[in-house]
Amino acid sequence: AWLLAGLTQQPTPFKGGTLVPVPWSFALALPVDGAGQVAVNGIPGGQGPLSIYLQALMADAAQPKGWALSNALRVDLLP
């Protein structure tokens, strides 16, 4: 599985689904609390909020084209 992330959204048909973020590649593991929230420390303030669009892409042989996409999610990082 891949976590796709982008600073903008551009819905694009992809393998029978819709790819939402304009992706750039990275792998990131973050601890999640019981409510599903993540605290990211160390983001410098003063520049306003940052929005990132996230979506998971998974190989799935049960899907017609062999791939599954999660719903896209906008994450707002507040300084």
Side-chain angles (χ1 to χ4, degrees):
W2 292 268
L3 176 62
L4 306 175
L7 297 176
T8 59
Q9 59 179 329
Q10 180 179 351
T12 306
F14 181 79
K15 302 287 184 182
T18 302
L19 180 65
V20 174
V22 176
W24 39 274
S25 298
F26 77 95
L28 183 61
L30 297 172
V32 179
D33 68 15
Q37 297 179 344
V38 175
V40 181
N41 298 319
I43 297 173
Q47 301 300 316
L50 172 67
S51 294
I52 301 174
Y53 297 89
L54 302 173
Q55 190 171 22
L57 170 66
M58 298 140 287
D60 185 350
Q63 297 300 316
K65 296 196 178 188
W67 294 93
L69 289 162
S70 71
N71 291 334
L73 177 67
R74 186 182 88 190
V75 176
D76 295 319
L77 303 174
L78 305 174

Coordinates of all heavy atoms in Angstrom, one line a residue:
A1 N 0.9 -1.2 0.0 CA 0.0 0.0 0.0 C 0.9 1.2 0.0 O 2.0 1.2 0.5 CB -0.9 0.0 1.2
W2 N 0.4 2.3 -0.6 CA 1.1 3.6 -0.6 C 0.2 4.7 0.0 O -1.0 4.7 -0.3 CB 1.4 3.9 -2.1 CG 2.5 3.0 -2.7 CD1 3.8 3.2 -2.7 CD2 2.2 1.8 -3.3 NE1 4.4 2.2 -3.3 CE2 3.5 1.3 -3.7 CE3 1.1 1.1 -3.6 CZ2 3.6 0.1 -4.4 CZ3 1.2 -0.1 -4.3 CH2 2.4 -0.6 -4.7
L3 N 0.8 5.6 0.6 CA 0.2 6.8 1.1 C 0.5 7.9 0.1 O 1.7 8.2 0.0 CB 0.6 7.2 2.5 CG 0.0 8.5 3.0 CD1 -1.5 8.4 3.1 CD2 0.6 8.8 4.4
L4 N -0.4 8.4 -0.6 CA -0.2 9.5 -1.6 C -0.5 10.8 -0.9 O -1.5 10.9 -0.2 CB -1.1 9.3 -2.8 CG -1.0 7.9 -3.5 CD1 -2.0 7.8 -4.6 CD2 0.4 7.7 -4.0
A5 N 0.3 11.8 -1.1 CA 0.1 13.1 -0.5 C 0.4 14.2 -1.5 O 1.3 14.0 -2.4 CB 1.0 13.2 0.7
G6 N -0.4 15.2 -1.4 CA -0.1 16.4 -2.3 C -0.6 17.7 -1.7 O -1.5 17.6 -0.8
L7 N -0.1 18.8 -2.1 CA -0.5 20.1 -1.6 C -1.7 20.6 -2.3 O -2.3 21.6 -1.8 CB 0.7 21.1 -1.7 CG 1.9 20.7 -0.8 CD1 3.0 21.7 -1.1 CD2 1.6 20.6 0.6
T8 N -2.1 20.0 -3.4 CA -3.2 20.4 -4.2 C -4.0 19.2 -4.5 O -3.5 18.1 -4.5 CB -2.9 21.2 -5.4 OG1 -2.1 20.4 -6.3 CG2 -2.2 22.5 -5.1
Q9 N -5.3 19.4 -4.9 CA -6.1 18.3 -5.4 C -6.4 18.5 -6.9 O -6.5 19.6 -7.3 CB -7.4 18.2 -4.6 CG -8.3 19.4 -4.6 CD -9.5 19.2 -3.8 OE1 -10.0 18.1 -3.7 NE2 -10.0 20.2 -3.3
Q10 N -6.3 17.3 -7.6 CA -6.6 17.3 -9.0 C -7.2 16.0 -9.3 O -6.5 15.0 -9.7 CB -5.4 17.6 -9.8 CG -5.6 17.6 -11.3 CD -4.3 17.8 -12.1 OE1 -3.3 18.2 -11.5 NE2 -4.4 17.7 -13.4
P11 N -8.6 15.8 -9.1 CA -9.2 14.5 -9.3 C -8.9 14.0 -10.8 O -9.1 14.7 -11.8 CB -10.7 14.8 -9.2 CG -10.7 16.0 -8.2 CD -9.5 16.8 -8.7
T12 N -8.3 12.8 -10.8 CA -7.8 12.2 -12.0 C -8.3 10.7 -12.1 O -8.0 10.0 -11.1 CB -6.3 12.2 -12.1 OG1 -5.9 13.6 -12.0 CG2 -5.8 11.7 -13.5
P13 N -8.9 10.2 -13.2 CA -9.2 8.8 -13.2 C -8.0 8.0 -13.1 O -6.9 8.3 -13.7 CB -9.9 8.7 -14.6 CG -10.3 10.0 -15.0 CD -9.3 11.0 -14.4
F14 N -8.0 6.9 -12.3 CA -6.9 6.0 -12.1 C -7.3 4.6 -11.8 O -8.0 4.4 -10.8 CB -6.0 6.6 -11.0 CG -4.7 5.8 -10.8 CD1 -3.6 5.9 -11.6 CD2 -4.7 4.9 -9.7 CE1 -2.5 5.1 -11.4 CE2 -3.6 4.1 -9.5 CZ -2.5 4.2 -10.3
K15 N -7.0 3.7 -12.7 CA -7.3 2.2 -12.4 C -8.7 2.0 -11.9 O -8.9 1.2 -11.0 CB -6.3 1.7 -11.4 CG -4.8 1.8 -11.8 CD -4.5 0.9 -12.9 CE -3.0 0.9 -13.3 NZ -2.7 0.0 -14.3
G16 N -9.7 2.6 -12.5 CA -11.1 2.4 -12.1 C -11.6 3.2 -11.0 O -12.7 3.1 -10.6
G17 N -10.7 4.1 -10.4 CA -11.1 4.9 -9.3 C -10.8 6.4 -9.6 O -10.5 6.7 -10.8
T18 N -10.7 7.2 -8.6 CA -10.3 8.6 -8.8 C -9.2 8.9 -7.8 O -9.3 8.8 -6.6 CB -11.5 9.5 -8.5 OG1 -12.6 9.2 -9.4 CG2 -11.1 11.0 -8.7
L19 N -8.1 9.3 -8.4 CA -6.9 9.8 -7.6 C -7.1 11.3 -7.4 O -7.3 12.0 -8.3 CB -5.6 9.5 -8.4 CG -4.3 9.9 -7.8 CD1 -4.1 9.1 -6.5 CD2 -3.2 9.8 -8.8
V20 N -7.1 11.7 -6.1 CA -7.5 13.1 -5.8 C -6.2 14.0 -5.6 O -6.1 15.0 -6.3 CB -8.3 13.2 -4.5 CG1 -8.6 14.6 -4.1 CG2 -9.7 12.5 -4.8
P21 N -5.2 13.6 -4.8 CA -4.1 14.5 -4.6 C -3.2 14.5 -5.8 O -3.1 13.5 -6.5 CB -3.4 14.0 -3.4 CG -3.8 12.6 -3.2 CD -5.1 12.5 -3.9
V22 N -2.5 15.6 -6.1 CA -1.4 15.6 -7.0 C -0.3 15.0 -6.2 O 0.2 15.7 -5.3 CB -1.1 17.0 -7.5 CG1 0.1 17.0 -8.4 CG2 -2.3 17.6 -8.3
P23 N 0.1 13.8 -6.4 CA 1.0 13.1 -5.5 C 2.5 13.5 -5.5 O 3.0 13.8 -6.6 CB 0.8 11.6 -5.8 CG 0.5 11.6 -7.3 CD -0.3 12.9 -7.5
W24 N 3.1 13.4 -4.4 CA 4.6 13.4 -4.3 C 4.8 12.2 -3.3 O 4.0 11.9 -2.5 CB 5.2 14.7 -3.9 CG 4.5 15.5 -2.8 CD1 3.5 16.4 -3.0 CD2 4.6 15.4 -1.4 NE1 3.0 16.9 -1.8 CE2 3.7 16.4 -0.8 CE3 5.5 14.7 -0.6 CZ2 3.6 16.6 0.5 CZ3 5.4 15.0 0.8 CH2 4.5 15.9 1.3
S25 N 5.9 11.6 -3.5 CA 6.1 10.3 -2.8 C 6.8 10.5 -1.5 O 7.8 11.2 -1.4 CB 7.0 9.4 -3.7 OG 6.3 9.1 -4.8
F26 N 6.3 9.8 -0.5 CA 7.0 9.8 0.8 C 6.3 8.7 1.6 O 5.2 8.3 1.4 CB 7.0 11.1 1.6 CG 5.6 11.4 2.2 CD1 5.4 11.1 3.6 CD2 4.6 12.0 1.5 CE1 4.2 11.4 4.1 CE2 3.4 12.3 2.1 CZ 3.2 12.0 3.4
A27 N 7.0 8.1 2.6 CA 6.5 7.2 3.5 C 6.6 7.8 4.9 O 7.7 8.2 5.3 CB 7.2 5.8 3.4
L28 N 5.5 7.8 5.7 CA 5.6 8.4 7.0 C 4.7 7.6 8.0 O 3.6 7.3 7.7 CB 5.0 9.8 6.8 CG 5.0 10.7 8.0 CD1 6.4 11.0 8.6 CD2 4.3 12.1 7.7
A29 N 5.3 7.3 9.1 CA 4.5 6.6 10.2 C 4.4 7.6 11.3 O 5.4 8.2 11.8 CB 5.3 5.4 10.6
L30 N 3.1 7.8 11.8 CA 2.9 8.7 12.9 C 2.0 8.0 13.9 O 1.1 7.3 13.6 CB 2.1 10.0 12.4 CG 2.8 10.9 11.4 CD1 1.8 11.9 10.8 CD2 4.0 11.5 12.0
P31 N 2.3 8.3 15.2 CA 1.5 7.7 16.3 C 0.1 8.4 16.3 O 0.0 9.6 16.1 CB 2.2 8.0 17.5 CG 3.1 9.1 17.2 CD 3.4 9.1 15.7
V32 N -0.9 7.5 16.5 CA -2.3 8.0 16.5 C -2.9 7.7 17.9 O -2.7 6.6 18.4 CB -3.2 7.3 15.4 CG1 -4.6 7.7 15.4 CG2 -2.6 7.5 14.0
D33 N -3.6 8.7 18.5 CA -4.2 8.4 19.8 C -5.6 7.7 19.6 O -5.9 7.3 18.5 CB -4.4 9.7 20.5 CG -5.5 10.7 19.9 OD1 -6.3 10.2 19.1 OD2 -5.5 11.8 20.3
G34 N -6.2 7.4 20.7 CA -7.5 6.6 20.6 C -8.6 7.2 19.8 O -9.5 6.5 19.3
A35 N -8.5 8.6 19.6 CA -9.5 9.3 18.8 C -9.1 9.4 17.3 O -9.8 10.0 16.5 CB -9.8 10.7 19.4
G36 N -8.0 8.8 17.0 CA -7.5 8.8 15.6 C -6.8 10.1 15.3 O -6.7 10.5 14.1
Q37 N -6.4 10.9 16.3 CA -5.8 12.2 16.0 C -4.2 12.0 16.1 O -3.7 11.2 16.9 CB -6.2 13.2 17.0 CG -7.7 13.5 16.8 CD -8.2 14.6 17.8 OE1 -7.5 14.9 18.8 NE2 -9.4 15.1 17.6
V38 N -3.6 12.8 15.3 CA -2.1 12.8 15.3 C -1.6 14.2 15.6 O -2.1 15.2 15.2 CB -1.6 12.5 13.8 CG1 -0.1 12.6 13.7 CG2 -2.1 11.1 13.4
A39 N -0.6 14.3 16.5 CA 0.0 15.6 16.9 C 1.4 15.6 16.2 O 2.2 14.6 16.4 CB 0.2 15.7 18.4
V40 N 1.6 16.6 15.3 CA 2.9 16.7 14.7 C 3.6 17.9 15.3 O 3.2 19.1 15.0 CB 2.7 16.9 13.1 CG1 4.1 17.0 12.4 CG2 1.9 15.7 12.6
N41 N 4.6 17.7 16.0 CA 5.3 18.8 16.7 C 6.5 19.2 15.8 O 7.0 18.5 14.9 CB 5.9 18.3 18.0 CG 4.7 17.9 19.0 OD1 3.7 18.6 19.0 ND2 4.9 16.9 19.7
G42 N 6.9 20.5 16.0 CA 8.1 21.0 15.3 C 7.8 21.7 14.0 O 8.7 22.0 13.3
I43 N 6.5 22.0 13.7 CA 6.2 22.7 12.5 C 6.3 24.2 12.9 O 5.6 24.7 13.8 CB 4.8 22.4 12.0 CG1 4.7 20.9 11.6 CG2 4.4 23.3 10.8 CD1 3.3 20.5 11.3
P44 N 7.2 25.0 12.2 CA 7.3 26.4 12.6 C 6.1 27.1 12.3 O 5.4 26.9 11.3 CB 8.5 26.8 11.7 CG 8.6 25.8 10.6 CD 8.0 24.5 11.1
G45 N 5.8 28.1 13.2 CA 4.5 28.9 13.0 C 4.8 30.2 12.3 O 5.9 30.4 11.8
G46 N 3.8 31.0 12.2 CA 3.9 32.3 11.6 C 3.6 32.4 10.1 O 3.5 33.4 9.5
Q47 N 3.4 31.2 9.5 CA 3.2 31.2 8.0 C 1.8 30.8 7.7 O 1.4 30.7 6.5 CB 4.2 30.3 7.3 CG 5.6 30.6 7.5 CD 6.0 32.0 7.0 OE1 5.6 32.4 6.0 NE2 6.7 32.8 7.8
G48 N 0.9 30.7 8.6 CA -0.5 30.3 8.4 C -0.6 28.8 8.3 O 0.4 28.0 8.4
P49 N -1.8 28.3 8.1 CA -2.0 26.8 8.0 C -1.5 26.2 6.7 O -1.3 26.9 5.8 CB -3.5 26.7 8.2 CG -4.1 28.0 7.6 CD -3.0 29.0 8.0
L50 N -1.3 24.9 6.8 CA -0.9 24.1 5.6 C -1.9 23.0 5.4 O -2.2 22.2 6.4 CB 0.5 23.5 5.8 CG 1.0 22.6 4.8 CD1 1.2 23.3 3.4 CD2 2.3 21.9 5.2
S51 N -2.5 22.8 4.3 CA -3.4 21.7 4.0 C -2.7 20.7 3.1 O -2.0 21.1 2.1 CB -4.6 22.2 3.2 OG -5.4 23.0 4.1
I52 N -2.8 19.4 3.4 CA -2.3 18.3 2.6 C -3.4 17.4 2.3 O -4.2 17.0 3.2 CB -1.2 17.6 3.4 CG1 0.0 18.5 3.8 CG2 -0.6 16.4 2.6 CD1 1.0 17.9 4.7
Y53 N -3.5 16.9 1.1 CA -4.5 15.9 0.6 C -3.9 14.6 0.7 O -2.8 14.3 0.1 CB -5.0 16.3 -0.7 CG -5.7 17.7 -0.7 CD1 -5.0 18.8 -1.0 CD2 -7.0 17.8 -0.5 CE1 -5.6 20.1 -0.9 CE2 -7.7 19.0 -0.4 CZ -7.0 20.1 -0.6 OH -7.6 21.4 -0.6
L54 N -4.5 13.6 1.3 CA -4.0 12.3 1.5 C -4.9 11.2 0.9 O -6.1 11.4 1.0 CB -3.7 12.0 3.0 CG -2.8 12.9 3.8 CD1 -2.8 12.5 5.2 CD2 -1.4 12.8 3.2
Q55 N -4.4 10.2 0.4 CA -5.2 9.1 -0.1 C -4.3 7.8 -0.1 O -3.1 7.9 -0.4 CB -5.7 9.4 -1.5 CG -6.7 8.5 -2.1 CD -7.3 9.0 -3.4 OE1 -6.7 9.8 -4.1 NE2 -8.5 8.5 -3.7
A56 N -4.9 6.7 0.2 CA -4.2 5.4 0.2 C -4.4 4.7 -1.1 O -5.6 4.7 -1.6 CB -4.6 4.5 1.4
L57 N -3.4 4.1 -1.6 CA -3.5 3.2 -2.9 C -3.0 1.8 -2.5 O -1.9 1.7 -1.9 CB -2.6 3.8 -4.0 CG -2.4 3.0 -5.2 CD1 -3.7 2.8 -6.0 CD2 -1.3 3.6 -6.1
M58 N -3.8 0.8 -2.8 CA -3.5 -0.5 -2.4 C -3.7 -1.5 -3.6 O -4.6 -1.4 -4.3 CB -4.4 -1.0 -1.3 CG -4.3 -0.2 0.0 SD -5.9 0.1 0.8 CE -6.7 1.3 -0.3
A59 N -2.7 -2.4 -3.7 CA -2.9 -3.5 -4.7 C -4.0 -4.4 -4.1 O -4.0 -4.7 -3.0 CB -1.6 -4.3 -4.8
D60 N -5.0 -4.7 -5.0 CA -6.2 -5.5 -4.6 C -6.6 -6.3 -5.7 O -7.3 -5.8 -6.6 CB -7.3 -4.6 -4.1 CG -8.5 -5.3 -3.5 OD1 -8.5 -6.6 -3.6 OD2 -9.3 -4.6 -2.9
A61 N -6.3 -7.6 -5.7 CA -6.6 -8.5 -6.8 C -8.1 -8.7 -7.0 O -8.6 -9.1 -8.1 CB -6.0 -9.8 -6.6
A62 N -8.9 -8.4 -6.0 CA -10.4 -8.5 -6.0 C -11.0 -7.4 -6.9 O -12.2 -7.5 -7.2 CB -11.0 -8.5 -4.6
Q63 N -10.3 -6.3 -7.1 CA -10.8 -5.2 -7.9 C -10.6 -5.4 -9.4 O -9.7 -6.1 -9.8 CB -10.1 -3.9 -7.5 CG -10.4 -3.5 -6.0 CD -11.8 -3.3 -5.7 OE1 -12.6 -2.7 -6.5 NE2 -12.3 -3.8 -4.6
P64 N -11.5 -4.9 -10.2 CA -11.4 -5.2 -11.6 C -10.1 -4.8 -12.3 O -9.6 -5.5 -13.1 CB -12.6 -4.3 -12.2 CG -13.5 -4.1 -11.1 CD -12.7 -4.1 -9.9
K65 N -9.4 -3.8 -11.8 CA -8.2 -3.4 -12.4 C -7.0 -3.7 -11.5 O -5.9 -3.2 -11.7 CB -8.2 -1.9 -12.9 CG -9.2 -1.7 -14.0 CD -9.0 -0.4 -14.7 CE -10.1 -0.4 -15.8 NZ -9.9 0.8 -16.7
G66 N -7.2 -4.4 -10.4 CA -6.2 -4.8 -9.5 C -5.7 -3.8 -8.5 O -4.8 -4.0 -7.8
W67 N -6.4 -2.6 -8.4 CA -6.0 -1.6 -7.4 C -7.2 -1.0 -6.7 O -8.3 -1.0 -7.3 CB -5.3 -0.4 -8.2 CG -4.0 -0.8 -8.7 CD1 -3.8 -1.3 -10.0 CD2 -2.8 -0.9 -8.1 NE1 -2.5 -1.6 -10.2 CE2 -1.8 -1.3 -9.0 CE3 -2.3 -0.5 -6.8 CZ2 -0.5 -1.5 -8.7 CZ3 -1.0 -0.7 -6.5 CH2 -0.1 -1.2 -7.4
A68 N -7.1 -0.6 -5.5 CA -8.1 0.1 -4.7 C -7.6 1.4 -4.2 O -6.4 1.5 -3.8 CB -8.6 -0.8 -3.6
L69 N -8.5 2.4 -4.2 CA -8.1 3.7 -3.6 C -9.1 4.0 -2.5 O -10.3 3.8 -2.5 CB -8.3 4.8 -4.7 CG -7.3 4.8 -5.8 CD1 -7.8 5.6 -7.0 CD2 -6.0 5.4 -5.4
S70 N -8.5 4.6 -1.4 CA -9.3 5.0 -0.3 C -10.0 6.3 -0.7 O -9.7 6.9 -1.7 CB -8.5 5.2 1.0 OG -7.7 6.4 0.8
N71 N -10.9 6.8 0.2 CA -11.4 8.1 0.0 C -10.3 9.1 0.3 O -9.4 8.8 1.1 CB -12.6 8.4 1.0 CG -13.8 7.6 0.7 OD1 -14.0 7.2 -0.4 ND2 -14.6 7.3 1.7
A72 N -10.3 10.2 -0.3 CA -9.3 11.2 -0.1 C -9.6 12.0 1.2 O -10.8 12.1 1.6 CB -9.2 12.2 -1.3
L73 N -8.6 12.6 1.8 CA -8.8 13.3 3.1 C -7.9 14.5 3.1 O -6.8 14.5 2.7 CB -8.4 12.4 4.3 CG -8.4 13.0 5.7 CD1 -9.8 13.2 6.1 CD2 -7.8 12.0 6.6
R74 N -8.5 15.7 3.4 CA -7.7 16.9 3.6 C -7.3 17.0 5.0 O -8.1 17.0 5.9 CB -8.5 18.1 3.2 CG -7.6 19.4 3.2 CD -8.4 20.6 2.8 NE -9.0 21.1 4.0 CZ -9.9 22.1 4.1 NH1 -10.3 22.7 3.0 NH2 -10.3 22.5 5.2
V75 N -6.0 17.2 5.3 CA -5.5 17.3 6.6 C -5.0 18.7 6.7 O -4.2 19.2 5.9 CB -4.3 16.3 6.9 CG1 -3.7 16.6 8.2 CG2 -4.9 14.9 6.8
D76 N -5.5 19.5 7.7 CA -5.0 20.8 8.0 C -4.0 20.9 9.1 O -4.4 20.5 10.2 CB -6.2 21.8 8.3 CG -7.2 21.9 7.1 OD1 -6.7 22.0 6.0 OD2 -8.4 21.9 7.3
L77 N -2.8 21.3 8.8 CA -1.8 21.4 9.9 C -1.8 22.9 10.3 O -1.6 23.8 9.5 CB -0.4 21.0 9.3 CG -0.3 19.6 8.8 CD1 1.0 19.4 8.1 CD2 -0.6 18.6 9.8
L78 N -2.0 23.1 11.6 CA -2.1 24.5 12.1 C -0.8 24.7 12.9 O -0.5 24.0 13.8 CB -3.3 24.6 13.0 CG -4.7 24.2 12.3 CD1 -5.8 24.3 13.3 CD2 -4.9 25.2 11.1
P79 N -0.2 25.8 12.6 CA 1.1 26.2 13.4 C 0.8 26.6 14.8 O -0.3 26.9 15.1 CB 1.7 27.3 12.6 CG 0.6 27.8 11.7 CD -0.4 26.8 11.6

